[in-house]
Amino acid sequence: MRVVVVGPSGVDTSEMGCVRGLRALGHTAEICDLRKHLGVPVPLQRYPLSFLVAEYLLRSTVREPFYLAQKALLAQARALRADLVLVVQLVWVLPATVTALRDSGVRCVGWFPDAFTSFGRGTFLLAPWDALFFQDRFIVDRLRETLGADNIHHLAQCCDPALHRPLPLSPEDERRYGADVATYGNYYPYRARLLEPLLDLAAPDRAAADGPALQLKLWGARPPRWLHHRVRDFWAGQEVSGDEKCRAMRACKIALNTNHYAGIGDVNKRTFELAGIGAFQLTDERAALADYLVPGQEVATFRGPADLRDKVAYYLARPDERRAIAERAHHRAHRDHTFERRLRTLLQTVGLPITG
């Protein structure tokens, strides 16, 4: 089967995970990064900021920035003679494009890997999809009930074993990435507040009588200027992805995972990435977590500020327990929670060939 996957082409994106997963199943798969068709000069396309600037400028003129890129998707699907277009970035593809693809005999499926707060205008709900998959059960239940739609399904996030795997650490890796607690992702107010108990422990002016300051590293894009919060002081200075993400999370003693407040009925991608990497993961409690990892055996959890402080202190003092939990999580993630496994479910649900 020939498949076009729509979304960013960065090595560590869900979209490229889908491409690799589909190829592992024997299908022909190509990425279609519509950002490259927004008028950004090719020499500037290696800078992610250029896409954000282009999208901002287009939003103020044509309102739907990706309107200009729809022909590129149709052309790529036609050139590949695609059987399926799998759209991960649902807000990039307009309903008329889905209609045109369906009219030409191409199956169209969406797999949205984010919270409902990223729906944008939600115009994708007007498109004639073969099926839509969401990683949050809350979204699935709400849309199925309110829209009376039976082609909306749940499909959890996952890891990519080609990227998210244990890597050996050199002394230089230990020096550069080593920390008591670390995490990666974007900065926003909810996460800043959630991290406050650790910011207190990591404060440089922490009283000597309270013991050494916690070594805390927060990897990710530069904190936005409007975020006036002391969490900015613990920015590690860069984003991490691919092998660098693996090394950063393996080198820290505790890899902290915080789910977004709008991720109501499931867990985030980081849950599976950290498990796949073989990092020791401490995450906020979620009812759905036990569906994927066994709390206390494959992942550690906390609930509230006091429990976060207590769990950090507890696990920092128990390296053997951390190591055993991380190893079990790695084996579980690579066995049960991969793109290949998720795509098998997706293709079977839609009635398409599972293997090429």
Side-chain angles (χ1 to χ4, degrees), residues 28-333:
T28 298
E30 294 182 357
I31 192 73
C32 180
D33 189 341
L34 294 183
R35 298 176 305 170
K36 297 181 178 180
H37 302 279
L38 296 180
V40 178
V42 172
L44 297 179
Q45 290 186 4
R46 60 177 175 159
Y47 303 108
L49 183 61
S50 66
F51 294 121
L52 296 177
V53 172
E55 187 175 346
Y56 174 79
L57 293 175
L58 287 169
R59 196 177 296 281
S60 64
T61 54
V62 299
R63 295 186 62 83
E64 292 288 354
F66 288 95
Y67 173 82
L68 301 179
Q70 302 303 293
K71 289 182 179 179
L73 171 56
L74 293 171
Q76 185 169 344
R78 186 167 51 251
L80 184 63
R81 293 183 291 117
D83 303 294
L84 169 67
V85 169
L86 175 59
V87 182
V88 181
Q89 289 292 331
L90 292 180
V91 297
W92 285 14
V93 179
L94 302 183
T97 303
V98 177
T99 299
L101 288 167
R102 292 287 306 277
D103 288 346
S104 64
V106 181
R107 305 289 294 276
C108 294
V109 174
W111 180 13
F112 190 72
D114 211 339
F116 65 86
T117 46
S118 298
F119 274 10
R121 295 190 179 93
T123 54
F124 63 85
L125 292 171
L126 302 177
W129 301 95
D130 286 275
L132 285 173
F133 294 81
F134 296 91
Q135 63 94 15
D136 192 334
R137 290 181 177 90
F138 170 81
I139 298 174
V140 174
D141 293 343
R142 177 59 58 90
L143 293 181
R144 287 180 72 99
E145 178 182 353
T146 57
L147 303 181
D150 59 4
N151 65 336
I152 296 176
H153 311 277
H154 171 252
L155 192 63
Q157 287 273 19
C158 54
C159 72
D160 185 347
L163 292 181
H164 309 126
R165 77 282 191 212
L167 289 178
L169 299 175
S170 68
E172 172 60 21
D173 292 333
E174 297 279 6
R175 184 199 64 77
R176 181 178 182 184
Y177 302 114
D180 293 322
V181 180
T183 191
Y184 59 91
N186 296 321
Y187 283 78
Y188 51 88
Y190 175 79
R191 176 170 288 163
R193 289 296 306 275
L194 196 151
L195 288 170
E196 284 179 353
L198 301 187
L199 304 184
D200 294 336
L201 297 175
D205 57 353
R206 177 180 167 83
D210 296 329
L214 183 79
Q215 188 178 16
L216 177 65
K217 291 184 178 180
L218 308 178
W219 303 93
R222 181 184 297 274
R225 293 181 179 178
W226 52 260
L227 185 64
H228 302 293
H229 192 277
R230 57 196 171 113
V231 72
R232 300 172 58 94
D233 298 335
F234 297 93
W235 179 45
Q238 67 172 83
E239 294 183 80
V240 288
S241 63
D243 288 355
E244 198 166 30
K245 180 192 293 184
C246 295
R247 293 189 175 98
M249 294 301 101
R250 291 272 291 173
C252 69
K253 296 173 183 175
I254 297 175
L256 183 68
N257 181 22
T258 59
N259 285 272
H260 193 278
Y261 58 85
I264 297 172
D266 220 275
V267 296
N268 59 17
K269 184 182 178 185
R270 193 184 301 107
T271 303
F272 302 102
E273 290 183 344
L274 292 174
I277 288 168
F280 170 75
Q281 177 178 182
L282 176 62
T283 184
D284 48 337
E285 279 191 11
R286 291 290 170 120
L289 180 63
D291 293 339
Y292 311 109
L293 298 170
V294 180
Q297 296 184 32
E298 298 169 333
V299 63
T301 64
F302 69 91
R303 185 171 187 174
D307 194 35
L308 174 58
R309 285 191 294 267
D310 291 346
K311 291 291 177 60
V312 166
Y314 176 89
Y315 283 111
L316 284 178
R318 291 166 173 81
D320 292 340
E321 189 170 351
R322 295 198 312 266
R323 193 175 302 111
I325 290 174
E327 185 174 342
R328 287 192 290 265
H330 161 66
H331 291 301
R332 176 72 183 278

